[in-house]
Amino acid sequence: MSNMFEALRKKKERYVQLEKELSSPELLSNREQYRIKSKEYADLKDIVAAYEGYLSLENEEEGLKRIIEEEGEDSEYAVMAKKELEDVRAGMDAKKKEIEDL
């Protein structure tokens, strides 16, 4: 799994790099290179968006785990956080599947 996330991290880095390159005047003057990089950028868009969605859910999961730990298992906030944590983990599983399908 970590290999998958390492590959995704690299794709996101490439996506960000392409975004910068596509706005450079030098590239705009070279239509063929612009076309090639635009296609690569478009091809990465969906997988990068799914990866960013997963990372967002992962951050939310960490925050909820902290709430449960800090509030104590039986507090009202911890009970609500546990329920939300179930939803977040289901969302993470769905994002993993979406990423695998891309």
Side-chain angles (χ1 to χ4, degrees), residues 1-97:
M1 186 66 79
S2 64
N3 286 340
M4 179 178 83
F5 287 107
E6 179 62 22
L8 289 167
R9 185 187 62 75
K10 287 179 181 179
K11 286 181 183 200
K12 182 178 178 184
E13 286 175 3
R14 178 65 179 149
Y15 182 80
V16 170
Q17 179 186 2
L18 285 166
E19 194 169 51
K20 290 176 185 173
E21 289 177 18
L22 288 169
S23 65
S24 80
E26 296 83 27
L27 186 62
L28 290 172
S29 65
N30 184 337
R31 287 184 161 207
E32 183 61 20
Q33 279 298 309
Y34 185 81
R35 185 189 63 73
I36 290 168
K37 291 183 186 262
S38 291
K39 180 174 180 350
E40 183 182 0
Y41 180 80
D43 290 346
L44 290 171
K45 186 175 184 174
D46 289 342
I47 196 154
V48 169
Y51 176 56
E52 289 175 338
Y54 180 87
L55 292 177
S56 176
L57 289 168
E58 191 175 58
N59 287 339
E60 192 173 342
E61 177 191 39
E62 289 303 313
L64 291 167
K65 288 187 328 191
R66 256 192 317 278
I67 289 171
I68 294 166
E69 184 179 306
E70 291 170 3
E71 293 292 327
E73 291 285 321
D74 298 326
S75 78
E76 184 178 333
Y77 288 122
V79 170
M80 289 188 309
K82 285 179 188 178
K83 173 63 179 126
E84 182 67 22
L85 186 57
E86 290 174 20
D87 295 341
V88 167
R89 287 182 173 156
M92 289 172 71
D93 289 341
K95 280 291 176 195
K96 279 184 202 174
K97 174 135 180 47

